[in-house]
């Protein structure tokens, strides 16, 4: 029987506190030894966050009476009281807070159609087009309906930027199921799930390998994000080799507004083998609800016998969108001449029915009184990613009726109005593809592949504007964005695709897509291209001129910031070291910030901390979600968390080529927990690295994260090869590493972490039990409910798997110049961690040993002893500060920290510099903070790049950054989604 947790209300004293201002000597009662970390924390937080009388308790506790009925009202009240007193949301830390949320009606809604659409168009949503990191999306717009084709990373951030309402989306179609086209889907689904009270109405369509993606996302998307998924095409795992059943388009949507069909494009490989076999086809695909378990028990492994030449994610789709015909105008004069009286018969004729003449012995047909109908526009969306797909595309007979040279019955001929090409420019410009394009006659071709144009025009104009302003004020911490460096490239494609035939430009009109480019479908009088909303190119000089006119003081501020570096250089010359290596500095801005010995003669190519994303919950106009690049220069780099859009942020920081080099040089990716805003950019990074290193000898990239993340990666690898190996954070804690070292040292014939022979020796059951006991987290007391949850995913440890990966970690750290990477548990959600990075010692010019720097990253957490202990003596503490000081209740409810709490952790641990990040999207540009606490602290911004040599200057820059945003009001920039999505995703 597990020990019952003592009542927190009976706890009088704190036996351990990470904060120096809380001590036993200040208390009058005899201390009692707490049984768990939570009871220990209770006393500390009860004193600091005692509820004010006549005010509501924290919002995380208000709904505790909605617990499952089996627990009873008394139990719910007891849980609530304990949570309020302890200063954190225990149910959230246990993973049980989802039970408190009100149940939503997740039935699919049917939106009222408007058959007589006055406005319809297709529009290129420029996701990825400036950074070339993902596939662009396409919006098909109607008065009452919205359809999205592809949802790459950054889609919802782009839509927020340009005020495109995601709540109106009814259907999402994927042309391929891979990270390039679907990387933004998890975050989009979480956002849509948080809107309204009736759940979401979106349908997600894709080829049959969509099942792999959905099964992978089930690992971290809650039931509240139920989505209706509909797959079509070849069955994954089928045994039949014939492809005859897939020669016709598959009708997906067919109503009064639009008919959307899919044509499956399977690659043809040189050996004639097909990527996938197939079973039967269903013209009306069976609806698969997200909650239902998708059977992928027999997937096609990339290395399996069933798939020697490809993988499930290679399948592509052509979407055909056909609008209904426009009926001709009714002519009352013709009707009157044929003997008809005005009235109901006029209506019948307009509905397409024949009527009897009132005054003549004839039958009047609709064609007698109606002008000729106009065929509805037809739009093709073609995703042909590889040469092997092109071979199949050229041989498709089902497309013949859409070609201008169609020789069949005239009534079967169809005229294509617009073709949007999503494939790469290198393939589209090939002679075979160009010949295929010409077969559509006078159709307008839009080349939306991301290698053609718009590299020099950022799609996220708001964040680009902020980046330019920050660069003007403080170029040392905010280097010029990478996209500016690309403006000199000849990346603009000609308006017409080049061809050897001079008449092609007239017959086959091709233009390069631009962000927000429209092609109007209705009204018919405006049929064609619409460039009215395309953003214009803005030079950085224009942004700065505007800044200077609004805030003239910024000129002097920039000069003052520049002087800080000169002062820093002069100060270093005046520093004298005492016999105990303590630094004494007379400059007032160093009073409480003695220079750590690890910074002695530090090199600028030793370390740079690049904040790629500093927002929480979901991407916004100004802040992307969590990601930090630890740039070790020639020694490679690491990523700490990898939220959606991380690759795009890398490319905005380093430029397209520089980001590719950064991805090639990654040594490790560490993930704090499995909330979507911390890991959904991972697949895109891994697949890009795989492609960049194809044909180059290399090791799989090491990913360290919570066990639940492995479930996602294992499921996703059935879709795409991620070229990675996984290590549980639990096995990188200090206790765990010491346990493994202790066990392996018993075998003196083998080095640290063992060898293949020692693995067999270590499989002894007693040894397994010994390691498992040592590896188990020490965060929670033995027998507590929290420890039982913590131990659930896997024990005892599989030495045969863990030992070689730990050895790989050791090798990676040595090559990166690091002495240690250690995870530690924190209080946020189940299996949430922070991390410590410590550099190896070095020798100075006279042979003196200089200790390595130490970086601590909190992940998402409430302040806790584990974090405080890990942070002791750190050079840099990167701490989440989701809420301002006045929102303690919200911080407690969601197990986050306030600005003041984060700074207190750093101050109590003797940290040299504190960097705050992970701000609520309530603060669009800069969060609320108290200047009195900021003597060693700085606020993080996206793209902020902090060289370790510049740490002494870091806090002095903050007042000038605040000047830059002095006119900004603290508002919630997306009231529609932030609060709702935060409760699901943060």
């Amino acid at each position: 029987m597990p020990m019952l947790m003592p009542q927190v209300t009976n706890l009088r004293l704190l036996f351990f506190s990470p904060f120096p201002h809380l001590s036993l000597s200040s208390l009058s009662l005899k201390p009692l030894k707490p049984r768990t970390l939570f009871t220990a924390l209770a006393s500390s937080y009860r004193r600091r966050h005692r509820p004010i009388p006549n005010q509501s308790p924290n919002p995380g506790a208000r709904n505790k009476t909605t617990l499952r009925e089996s627990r009873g009202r008394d139990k719910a009240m007891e849980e609530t009281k304990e949570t309020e007193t302890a200063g954190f949301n225990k149910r959230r830390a246990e993973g049980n807070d989802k039970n408190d949320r009100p149940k939503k009606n997740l039935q699919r809604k049917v939106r009222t159609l408007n058959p007589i659409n006055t406005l319809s168009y297709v529009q290129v949503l420029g996701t990825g087009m400036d950074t070339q990191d993902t596939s662009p999306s396409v919006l098909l717009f109607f008065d009452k309906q919205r359809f999205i084709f592809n949802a790459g990373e950054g889609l919802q951030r782009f839509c927020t930027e340009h005020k495109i309402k995601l709540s109106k989306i009814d259907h999402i179609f994927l042309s391929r199921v891979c990270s390039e086209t679907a990387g933004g889907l998890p975050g989009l689904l979480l956002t849509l799930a948080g809107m309204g009270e009736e759940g979401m109405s979106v349908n997600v369509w894709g080829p049959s390998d969509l099942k792999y993606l959905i099964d992978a996302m089930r690992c971290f998307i809650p039931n509240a994000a139920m989505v209706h998924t509909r797959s079509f095409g070849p069955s994954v795992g089928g045994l039949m080799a014939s492809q005859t059943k897939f020669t016709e388009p598959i009708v997906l949507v067919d109503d009064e507004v639009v008919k959307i069909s899919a044509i499956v494009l399977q690659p043809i490989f040189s050996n004639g083998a097909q990527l996938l076999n197939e079973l039967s086809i269903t013209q009306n695909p069976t609806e698969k609800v997200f909650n239902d378990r998708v059977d992928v028990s027999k997937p096609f492994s990339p290395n399996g016998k069933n798939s020697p030449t490809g993988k499930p994610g290679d399948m592509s789709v052509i979407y055909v969108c056909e609008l209904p015909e426009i009926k001709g105008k009714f002519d009352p004069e013709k009707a009157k001449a044929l003997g008809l009286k005005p009235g109901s018969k006029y209506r019948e004729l307009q509905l397409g029915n024949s009527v009897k003449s009132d005054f003549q012995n004839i039958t009047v047909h609709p064609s007698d009184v109606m002008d000729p109908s106009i065929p509805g526009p037809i739009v093709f969306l073609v995703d042909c990613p590889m040469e092997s797909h092109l071979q199949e595309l050229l041989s498709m007979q089902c497309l013949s009726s859409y070609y201008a040279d169609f020789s069949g019955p005239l009534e079967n001929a169809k005229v294509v109005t617009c073709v949007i090409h999503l494939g790469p420019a290198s393939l589209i410009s090939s002679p075979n593809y160009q010949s295929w394009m010409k077969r559509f006659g006078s159709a307008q071709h839009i080349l939306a592949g991301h290698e053609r144009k718009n590299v020099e025009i950022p799609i996220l104009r708001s964040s680009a504007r902020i980046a330019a302003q920050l660069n003007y004020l403080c170029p040392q911490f905010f280097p010029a964005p990478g996209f500016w460096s690309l403006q000199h490239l000849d990346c603009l494609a000609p308006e017409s695709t080049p061809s050897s035939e001079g008449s092609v430009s007239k017959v086959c009109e091709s233009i390069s897509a631009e962000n927000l480019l429209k092609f109007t479908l209705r009204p018919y009088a405006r049929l064609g291209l619409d460039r009215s909303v395309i953003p214009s190119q803005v030079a950085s000089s224009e942004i700065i001129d505007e800044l200077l006119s609004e805030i003239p003081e910024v000129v002097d501020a920039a000069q003052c910031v520049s002087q800080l570096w000169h002062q820093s250089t002069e100060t270093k010359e005046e520093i004298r070291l005492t016999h105990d290596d303590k630094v004494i500095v007379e400059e007032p801005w160093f009073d409480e910030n003695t220079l750590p010995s690890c910074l002695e003669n530090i090199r600028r190519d030793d370390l740079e901390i690049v904040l790629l994303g500093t927002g929480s919950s979901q991407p916004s106009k100004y802040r992307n979600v969590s990601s930090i690049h630890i740039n070790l220069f020639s020694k490679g780099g690491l990523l700490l968390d990898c939220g959606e859009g991380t690759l795009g942020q890398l490319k905005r920081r380093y430029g397209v080529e520089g980001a590719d080099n950064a991805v090639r040089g990654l040594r490790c990716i560490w993930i704090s927990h499995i909330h979507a805003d911390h890991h959904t950019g991972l697949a895109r990074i891994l697949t890009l690295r795989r492609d960049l290193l194809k044909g180059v000898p290399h090791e799989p990239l090491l990913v360290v994260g919570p066990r639940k993340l492995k479930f996602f990666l294992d499921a996703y690898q059935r879709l795409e090869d991620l070229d990675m190996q996984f290590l549980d954070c639990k096995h990188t804690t200090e206790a765990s590493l010491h346990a493994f070292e202790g066990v392996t040292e018993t075998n003196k014939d083998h080095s640290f972490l063992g060898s293949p022979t020692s693995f067999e020796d270590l499989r002894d059951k007693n040894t397994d039990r010994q390691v498992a006991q040592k590896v188990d987290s020490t965060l929670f007391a033995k027998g507590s409910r929290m420890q039982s949850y913590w131990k659930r995913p896997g024990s005892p440890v599989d030495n045969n798997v863990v030992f070689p990966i730990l050895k790989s970690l050791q090798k990676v750290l040595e090559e990166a110049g690091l002495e240690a990477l250690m995870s530690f548990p924190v209080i946020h959600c189940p299996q949430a961690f922070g991390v410590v990075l410590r550099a190896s010692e070095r020798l100075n010019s006279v042979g003196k040993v200089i200790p390595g720097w130490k970086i601590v990253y909190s992940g998402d957490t409430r302040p806790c002893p584990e974090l405080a202990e890990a942070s002791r003596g750190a050079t840099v503490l990167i701490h989440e500060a989701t809420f301002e000081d006045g929102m303690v209740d919200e911080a407690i409810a969601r197990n986050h920290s306030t600005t003041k709490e984060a700074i207190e952790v750093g101050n109590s641990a003797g940290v040299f510099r504190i960097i705050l990040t992970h701000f609520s999207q309530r603060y669009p540009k800069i969060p609320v903070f108290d200047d009195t606490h900021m003597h060693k602290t700085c606020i993080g911004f996206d793209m902020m790049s902090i060289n370790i040599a510049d740490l002494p200057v870091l806090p002095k820059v903050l007042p000038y950054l605040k000047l830059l945003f002095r006119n900004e009001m603290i508002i919630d920039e997306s009231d529609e989604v932030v609060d709702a999505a935060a409760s699901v995703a943060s």
Side-chain angles (χ1 to χ4, degrees):
M1 289 288 292
M3 295 174 58
L4 294 177
M5 182 177 293
Q7 291 289 334
V8 178
T9 54
N10 295 330
L11 182 64
R12 301 297 183 190
L13 294 174
L14 178 69
F15 91 109
F16 171 75
S17 171
F19 309 112
H21 64 277
L22 292 176
S23 62
L24 293 176
S25 60
S26 64
L27 303 174
S28 59
L29 299 177
K30 183 178 180 180
L32 300 175
K33 184 178 180 180
R35 299 183 182 180
T36 70
L37 167 70
F38 294 115
T39 55
L41 284 174
S43 176
S44 171
Y45 285 102
R46 183 177 58 187
R47 292 175 179 274
R48 295 169 57 197
H49 305 302
R50 190 182 305 276
I52 300 174
N54 301 324
Q55 286 192 355
S56 299
N58 77 75
R62 290 183 188 133
N63 292 328
K64 297 300 182 182
T65 54
T66 63
L67 297 174
R68 288 173 295 189
E69 294 180 0
S70 60
R71 293 182 177 269
R73 179 174 295 273
D74 292 340
K75 181 67 175 177
M77 294 178 65
E78 179 182 318
E79 297 270 359
T80 303
K81 186 174 182 180
E82 183 174 353
T83 299
E84 288 178 10
T85 309
F88 63 91
N89 186 336
K90 185 166 74 70
R91 292 183 56 76
R92 183 175 180 82
E94 291 175 332
N96 294 325
D97 60 321
K98 297 173 186 176
N99 298 326
D100 300 336
R101 297 171 188 160
K103 299 297 183 181
K104 289 187 177 182
N105 174 17
L106 296 176
Q107 297 299 317
R108 180 162 50 94
K109 295 178 289 185
V110 179
R111 200 182 300 276
T112 303
L113 300 180
N114 181 16
I116 307 176
N117 285 284
T118 58
L119 180 63
S120 177
Y121 55 81
V122 287
Q123 184 174 29
V124 176
L125 305 184
T127 305
M129 291 185 62
D130 62 339
T131 54
Q132 305 179 16
D133 61 293
T134 189
S135 175
S137 299
V138 177
L139 170 68
L140 175 59
F141 177 95
F142 293 96
D143 291 349
K144 292 291 183 68
Q145 282 186 299
R146 312 286 191 273
F147 302 87
I148 287 281
F149 296 85
N150 287 344
E153 288 188 15
L155 173 61
Q156 61 175 325
R157 192 178 186 195
F158 179 88
C159 291
T160 300
E161 171 86 11
H162 298 285
K163 296 181 173 57
I164 298 172
K165 288 191 175 296
L166 295 171
S167 58
K168 300 290 186 181
I169 296 173
D170 292 314
H171 299 267
I172 300 173
F173 299 88
L174 300 180
S175 63
R176 282 177 289 134
V177 184
C178 60
S179 61
E180 184 181 352
T181 60
L185 188 60
L188 178 60
L189 296 181
L190 284 169
T191 298
L192 292 174
M195 294 181 179
E197 298 179 354
E198 298 184 4
M200 53 194 305
S201 60
V202 68
N203 296 272
V204 179
W205 301 84
S208 54
D209 39 27
L210 175 63
K211 299 174 183 178
Y212 288 119
L213 178 64
I214 297 302
D215 188 63
M217 291 193 305
R218 288 177 65 259
C219 301
F220 62 90
I221 293 185
N223 291 342
M226 178 185 287
V227 59
H228 304 271
T229 61
R230 300 188 175 194
S231 58
F232 52 84
S235 173
V236 181
L239 301 177
M240 300 175 61
S242 172
Q243 197 177 353
T244 57
K245 296 182 181 180
F246 290 91
T247 57
E248 296 300 322
I250 307 168
V251 178
L252 308 179
V253 176
D254 191 4
D255 54 34
E256 310 96 298
V257 174
V258 67
K259 175 182 177 182
I260 300 179
S261 306
I263 300 173
V264 179
L265 194 61
Q266 297 185 68
I268 296 179
F269 297 96
S270 57
N271 61 2
Q274 295 294 329
L275 168 64
L276 293 174
N277 299 318
E278 61 183 272
L279 290 175
S280 59
I281 183 174
T282 306
Q283 288 294 328
N284 296 313
T286 304
E287 177 175 304
K288 293 290 185 181
V289 179
F290 191 86
N291 255 14
D292 293 342
R293 180 74 181 179
V294 180
D295 182 12
V296 288
S297 58
K298 298 180 180 180
F300 274 81
S301 169
N303 299 320
K305 296 181 180 180
N306 292 331
S307 177
T309 54
K311 55 186 179 295
D314 286 336
M315 191 160 22
S316 184
V317 179
I318 299 172
Y319 287 105
V320 183
C321 307
E322 303 178 62
L323 275 64
E325 67 176 10
I326 303 173
K327 294 183 179 181
K329 186 178 180 180
F330 178 78
D331 190 339
E333 294 298 326
K334 290 183 179 180
K336 185 177 180 180
L338 293 174
L340 290 174
K341 296 187 298 185
S344 60
K345 292 184 178 180
Y346 280 22
R347 177 63 177 168
E348 289 295 321
L349 287 167
Q350 293 180 57
L351 292 175
N353 301 320
S354 300
V355 298
K356 190 75 173 178
S357 174
D358 295 315
F359 300 111
Q360 302 179 26
N361 189 22
I362 60 173
T363 299
V364 180
H365 303 285
S367 59
D368 298 330
V369 296
M370 302 282 291
D371 293 337
S373 296
I374 302 174
I378 299 176
V379 177
F380 268 50
L381 291 101
V382 182
D383 188 355
C384 185
M386 297 185 294
E387 185 70 29
S388 54
H389 292 87
L390 180 57
Q391 297 178 38
E392 173 70 5
L393 179 64
L394 298 175
S395 63
M396 280 189 164
Q397 295 299 316
C398 63
L399 296 176
S400 59
S401 61
Y402 297 97
Y403 295 147
D405 57 1
F406 177 61
S407 58
L410 186 60
E411 61 272 15
N412 294 338
K414 301 178 180 179
V415 179
V416 177
T417 310
C418 177
V419 183
I420 300 177
H421 303 269
L422 302 176
S426 57
L427 183 66
I428 293 175
S429 59
S430 66
N432 286 339
Y433 198 95
Q434 287 289 301
S435 298
W436 179 75
M437 289 171 60
K438 287 187 287 184
R439 300 195 66 181
F440 289 100
S442 59
Q444 175 68 64
H445 293 269
I446 299 176
L447 310 182
H450 51 59
E451 296 177 44
R452 302 289 288 187
K453 196 175 182 180
N454 293 322
V455 178
E456 78 286 359
I457 303 178
I459 61 172
L460 302 176
R461 297 169 63 86
S462 297
S463 62
R465 180 177 296 273
I466 294 294
Q469 295 174 346
L470 289 168
N471 171 252
Y472 174 83
L473 179 62
C474 183
Q476 295 86 353
F477 286 144
F478 300 95
F483 63 81
W484 296 122
S485 64
L486 298 172
Q487 293 189 20
H488 67 280
L489 298 178
D490 183 19
C491 58
L492 301 182
E495 287 301 300
S496 296
T497 303
S499 174
S500 58
E501 300 182 22
S503 61
V504 171
S505 60
K506 297 180 180 179
V507 178
C508 177
E509 294 188 19
S510 302
I511 66 164
S512 294
E514 299 174 75
N515 297 326
L516 300 178
L517 174 69
K518 291 181 181 180
F519 188 92
T520 302
L521 304 174
R522 298 276 168 83
Y524 182 76
R526 291 164 48 192
L527 183 71
L529 295 170
D530 179 3
R531 292 187 172 90
S532 61
V533 294
I534 293 176
S536 59
Q537 182 176 350
V538 178
S540 58
S541 58
E542 298 178 37
I543 297 174
I544 300 308
D545 290 342
E546 181 181 331
L547 172 64
L548 298 181
S549 65
E550 294 178 355
I551 310 176
E553 301 91 329
V554 79
V555 176
D556 294 334
Q559 295 177 353
C560 292
V561 169
S562 179
Q563 286 297 318
L564 293 177
W565 268 261
H566 296 295
Q567 294 175 14
S568 176
T569 303
E570 296 170 359
T571 299
K572 290 178 182 178
E573 297 176 356
E574 299 179 15
I575 293 176
R576 64 181 180 88
L577 297 178
T578 64
H579 65 279
D580 57 356
D581 290 340
K582 291 184 179 179
V583 180
I584 301 177
V585 186
E586 297 186 8
E587 276 64 18
W589 58 296
F590 270 121
D591 282 350
E592 297 182 58
N593 299 278
T594 56
L595 194 67
S597 56
C598 66
L599 297 183
E600 181 181 338
N601 298 323
I602 196 73
R603 295 166 53 97
R604 296 196 67 84
D605 62 352
D606 192 78
L607 167 69
E608 184 180 56
I609 301 170
V610 182
L611 305 179
L612 299 174
T614 57
S616 67
S617 180
Q618 65 180 44
S620 72
K621 288 171 62 175
Y622 304 104
R623 295 185 185 270
N624 202 53
V625 288
S626 297
S627 184
I628 301 169
H629 183 226
I630 303 298
N631 184 10
L632 302 174
F633 296 93
S634 62
K635 297 178 182 178
L638 296 84
L639 283 176
L640 306 182
D641 278 335
C642 191
E644 178 188 338
T646 293
L647 177 58
Q649 294 292 87
L650 278 172
K651 296 200 173 189
R652 292 180 182 97
R653 167 61 183 86
Y654 296 113
V656 175
E657 183 177 350
D660 287 348
N661 292 334
V663 172
R664 286 190 190 94
L666 282 176
R667 301 289 186 177
C668 174
I669 299 178
W670 182 91
I671 304 297
S672 61
H673 60 291
I674 199 168
H675 282 164
D677 56 330
H678 291 259
H679 77 87
T680 49
L682 185 57
R684 190 74 193 100
I685 293 285
L686 293 174
T687 53
L688 175 62
R689 179 182 181 273
R690 174 203 66 200
D691 295 340
L692 291 173
L693 295 177
K694 188 172 295 183
V696 179
H698 66 280
E699 296 294 328
L701 185 62
L702 183 62
V703 175
V704 182
R707 173 64 63 91
K708 200 172 182 181
L709 178 63
K710 186 177 189 298
F711 301 154
F712 165 70
L713 294 173
D714 286 347
Y716 192 92
Q717 283 208 115
R718 300 173 181 177
L719 178 65
E720 288 187 283
D721 177 25
L722 296 179
D723 192 23
M724 50 74 63
Q725 56 181 343
F726 182 84
L727 181 62
D728 194 335
C729 279
K730 189 167 83 170
H731 298 145
T732 62
T733 62
E734 185 175 16
S736 174
L737 294 174
H738 286 332
F740 282 115
E741 287 180 358
V743 172
T744 53
E745 286 174 359
T746 60
N747 187 340
K748 297 182 179 180
D749 296 331
H750 304 285
S751 61
F752 172 64
L753 296 178
S755 66
T757 304
S758 64
F759 298 158
E760 297 299 324
D761 298 337
L762 291 169
R763 293 183 65 181
D764 178 82
K765 292 183 179 179
N766 292 329
T767 302
D768 272 345
R769 190 179 303 109
Q770 174 189 1
V771 173
Q773 290 173 351
K774 292 184 178 181
V775 168
D776 280 337
S777 170
T778 58
L779 178 61
F780 309 113
K782 182 177 180 181
S784 69
R785 289 173 53 200
M786 287 296 292
Q787 190 204 41
S788 66
Y789 190 96
W790 189 263
K791 293 176 62 176
R792 192 178 303 169
S795 182
V797 177
D798 185 352
N799 296 321
N800 287 330
V801 175
V802 175
F803 275 44
I805 300 179
L806 280 173
K807 190 171 183 178
S808 297
L809 175 61
Q810 183 189 33
K811 179 182 177 183
V812 164
L813 296 178
E814 290 175 354
E815 293 175 348
L818 298 177
E819 180 182 290
L821 180 154
M822 289 191 296
S823 305
F824 55 90
V826 295
I827 298 177
H828 179 60
C829 66
Q831 302 180 53
F833 292 88
V835 68
V836 176
L837 293 177
R838 190 165 61 244
S840 302
E841 295 177 343
R842 54 189 171 88
L843 297 177
N844 65 8
S845 57
V846 296
K848 177 184 176 182
V849 176
I850 306 298
W853 46 259
K854 176 181 176 182
I855 295 176
V856 179
Y857 171 49
S858 69
D860 286 5
T861 183
R862 291 291 296 149
C864 61
E866 290 281 343
L867 173 58
E869 182 62 30
S871 302
R872 296 204 181 279
T875 315
V876 178
L877 168 61
I878 307 173
H879 199 300
E880 71 117 295
T882 309
F883 297 103
E884 60 184 280
D885 296 344
M887 300 184 69
V888 176
D889 286 348
E890 287 79 358
I892 292 173
R894 297 181 182 175
N895 281 346
H896 285 298
S897 299
T898 66
T899 299
K900 183 177 180 180
E901 289 172 333
I903 295 172
E904 286 179 347
V905 171
N907 287 338
S908 66
V911 172
F912 177 62
R913 290 291 179 258
I914 305 169
I915 302 173
L916 301 182
T917 185
H918 197 269
F919 303 110
S920 169
Q921 303 295 9
R922 289 177 175 82
Y923 320 112
K925 296 182 181 179
I926 190 168
V928 177
F929 59 90
D930 186 345
D931 290 323
T932 60
H933 301 300
M934 309 300 286
H935 59 283
K936 62 168 65 174
T937 306
C938 193
I939 298 294
F941 294 85
D942 281 18
M943 305 301 161
M944 191 174 191
S945 303
I946 304 166
N947 194 288
I948 190 170
D950 297 330
L951 287 179
V953 186
L954 186 62
K956 301 300 294 181
V957 174
L958 186 57
Y960 301 100
L961 300 181
K962 190 174 182 180
L963 168 68
L964 196 64
F965 304 105
R966 68 179 186 183
N967 298 326
E968 302 299 329
M969 296 182 63
I970 306 303
I971 58 172
D972 188 343
E973 67 167 20
S974 51
D975 297 327
E976 181 180 351
V977 296
V978 168
D979 287 334
S983 64
V984 178
S986 66

